Amino acid sequence: MAKEFASKADLGEKEISFVELGKGCYGYTAEGDPNSGVIIGDDYVMVIEAQATPRMAKDVIAKIRSVTDKPIKYLVLTHYHAVRVLGASEYGVDEIIMSQKTNEMVEERGAQDWKSEFERFPRLFRGHESIPGLTHPTMIFEDKLTIELGNKKVEIMHVGEGHTKGDSIVWVPDEKVMFAGDLVEYGATPYCGDAQLKNWPATLQKLSDFKPKALVPGRGEALKNEVECQEAILMTSEYVTMLYQEALLSVTRGETLKQCYDALMKNMSPRFGEWVIFEHCMPFNVTRAYDEASGIDHPRIWTDERDVAMWNELNS
């Protein structure tokens, strides 16, 4: 029997948690589904990650309104993936913030990514008919941008490549709280289909050097102390390092993509197989690792047609 494509069969609802991690800093988490973050200052509110649809964004807003009635002025999108950005219209913010490299990826492949992600994981696009179109920034930065929310300074930084070429983190220095986007996961498999795998570990080391006291990962529960933060960074680094190094060995041996995939599933499942969306991510991750190890530095664009062809090839 053919293996069900990606996460089409994943229809179960997840329990939402909304946890304060420092004064005015909250993690919105969903048992391994995509997370969001919230920062509340004396004057304004900032949201990190929009969710996939306006309908899903409504729940983030409801959680915010349970603790403050201050205006939501800023929305930070740490990278371009559809499950993170397409709910943006619901917030009615003054500014939508992206890095320059993330904006480039929206322009290059945002439309294809939207269709591709929807076909892979339809449950994450509840209310998809309410999406008005691609999300474009109103404010773009290159390396660093500082925003004042009223007695709370927020630093938005592109410190290096990893999950994508344009990843941003959001740092609240007074609280030492970090919103890491999908650069860091916790108990969830990093998606690497658009990754810069050779650069990702060095970027994670930079995050580690901040010594965060709390951290909201892209997926997984919010981390509430320094040990958990470092553990999540280390585990993510271990995964992406093994993925690339094993793929590089396979390419060097002259193996096919299918041979590479079978070997990595055998070697990585004992260590990482219990992580959320492991079976979903591995075909995409191994394909990208194989490409990068073969000298393809800029990730190829995923389309729904390419997704299905790859899935069928590797799971045959």
Side-chain angles (χ1 to χ4, degrees), residues 175-196:
E175 302 295 324
K176 294 186 76 68
V177 175
M178 179 177 289
F179 301 84
D182 279 317
L183 280 170
V184 178
E185 313 292 10
Y186 189 65
T189 308
Y191 172 72
C192 308
D194 304 295
Q196 303 292 333

Side-chain angles (χ1 to χ4, degrees), residues 257-275:
L257 174 60
K258 170 65 172 168
Q259 290 171 322
C260 178
Y261 174 73
D262 289 344
L264 265 70
M265 285 296 289
K266 179 181 177 181
N267 294 341
M268 296 185 72
S269 292
R271 172 70 177 87
F272 306 107
E274 296 302 314
W275 285 6

Side-chain angles (χ1 to χ4, degrees), residues 21 23-25 37-39 46 48 76 78 141 143-149 152-159 168-181 206-216 223 225-226 229-230 233:
L21 302 170
K23 184 179 179 182
C25 299
V38 175
I39 306 170
M46 174 183 287
I48 301 99
V76 179
T78 67
F141 71 98
D143 296 315
K144 183 176 179 179
L145 177 67
T146 299
I147 299 289
E148 290 285 349
L149 298 179
K152 190 172 294 295
K153 182 172 74 170
V154 179
E155 297 174 346
I156 308 163
M157 292 172 276
H158 171 64
V159 300
S168 301
I169 63 166
V170 179
W171 175 244
V172 184
D174 289 348
E175 302 295 324
K176 294 186 76 68
V177 175
M178 179 177 289
F179 301 84
K206 292 178 182 178
L207 270 55
S208 174
D209 291 344
F210 280 87
K211 294 181 169 50
K213 293 183 177 179
L215 185 150
V216 178
L223 309 169
N225 60 62
E226 292 182 53
C229 294
Q230 293 296 336
I233 294 168

Side-chain angles (χ1 to χ4, degrees), residues 55 82 85-86 120 132 151 153 175 178 185 187 197 218 224 235 271:
R55 175 178 160 188
V85 307
L86 293 180
R120 295 181 196 181
N151 203 32
K153 182 172 74 170
E175 302 295 324
M178 179 177 289
E185 313 292 10
L197 287 163
K224 302 172 186 176
M235 289 192 305
R271 172 70 177 87

Side-chain angles (χ1 to χ4, degrees), residues 24-315:
C25 299
Y26 294 82
Y28 175 100
T29 65
E31 294 187 306
D33 276 1
N35 295 335
S36 291
V38 175
I39 306 170
I40 302 171
D42 286 349
D43 299 326
Y44 304 112
V45 177
M46 174 183 287
V47 175
I48 301 99
E49 314 293 35
Q51 297 286 313
T53 70
R55 175 178 160 188
M56 296 176 72
K58 287 179 186 294
D59 190 62
V60 180
I61 295 169
K63 296 295 189 293
I64 294 170
R65 291 295 169 239
S66 73
V67 294
T68 185
D69 60 359
K70 292 169 185 172
I72 304 171
K73 185 172 183 178
Y74 300 99
L75 174 62
V76 179
L77 303 173
T78 67
H79 60 286
Y80 80 98
H81 285 147
V83 291
R84 302 295 182 180
V85 307
L86 293 180
S89 62
E90 187 65 26
Y91 294 92
V93 295
D94 293 352
E95 302 289 356
I96 297 173
I97 302 170
M98 290 182 187
S99 72
Q100 175 63 46
K101 290 182 178 179
T102 290
N103 184 55
E104 290 171 4
M105 296 196 84
V106 170
E107 298 297 333
E108 177 192 43
R109 60 183 68 197
Q112 297 96 320
D113 179 74
W114 177 357
K115 188 173 182 182
S116 168
E117 289 197 51
F118 177 75
E119 294 296 333
R120 295 181 196 181
F121 217 144
R123 180 177 60 77
L124 296 183
F125 289 84
R126 295 186 299 277
H128 64 91
E129 64 282 349
S130 63
I131 300 170
L134 291 176
T135 299
H136 298 279
T138 61
M139 184 180 291
I140 297 171
F141 71 98
E142 187 169 350
D143 296 315
K144 183 176 179 179
L145 177 67
T146 299
I147 299 289
E148 290 285 349
L149 298 179
N151 203 32
K152 190 172 294 295
K153 182 172 74 170
V154 179
E155 297 174 346
I156 308 163
M157 292 172 276
H158 171 64
V159 300
E161 299 178 341
H163 176 67
T164 70
K165 75 172 187 177
D167 298 305
S168 301
I169 63 166
V170 179
W171 175 244
V172 184
D174 289 348
E175 302 295 324
K176 294 186 76 68
V177 175
M178 179 177 289
F179 301 84
D182 279 317
L183 280 170
V184 178
E185 313 292 10
Y186 189 65
T189 308
Y191 172 72
C192 308
D194 304 295
Q196 303 292 333
L197 287 163
K198 287 182 287 187
N199 297 337
W200 200 334
T203 300
L204 289 170
Q205 183 58 54
K206 292 178 182 178
L207 270 55
S208 174
D209 291 344
F210 280 87
K211 294 181 169 50
K213 293 183 177 179
L215 185 150
V216 178
R219 291 175 181 263
E221 65 184 77
L223 309 169
K224 302 172 186 176
N225 60 62
E226 292 182 53
V227 173
E228 289 181 349
C229 294
Q230 293 296 336
E231 181 185 22
I233 294 168
L234 175 61
M235 289 192 305
T236 304
S237 186
E238 287 178 349
Y239 176 90
V240 299
T241 298
M242 185 175 183
L243 176 73
Y244 179 72
Q245 290 181 342
E246 292 272 341
L248 180 60
L249 282 173
S250 181
V251 169
T252 304
R253 293 187 192 107
E255 294 174 350
T256 65
L257 174 60
K258 170 65 172 168
Q259 290 171 322
C260 178
Y261 174 73
D262 289 344
L264 265 70
M265 285 296 289
K266 179 181 177 181
N267 294 341
M268 296 185 72
S269 292
R271 172 70 177 87
F272 306 107
E274 296 302 314
W275 285 6
V276 173
I277 62 172
F278 179 80
E279 296 280 344
H280 170 115
C281 286
M282 281 298 284
F284 300 95
N285 292 359
V286 174
T287 300
R288 172 57 193 151
Y290 189 90
D291 277 358
E292 189 168 344
S294 300
I296 301 174
D297 290 332
H298 189 57
R300 292 187 286 153
I301 295 174
W302 291 101
T303 64
D304 55 334
E305 296 86 2
R306 182 186 172 213
D307 291 355
V308 172
M310 175 277 297
W311 187 271
N312 291 338
E313 175 189 355
L314 296 188
N315 288 288

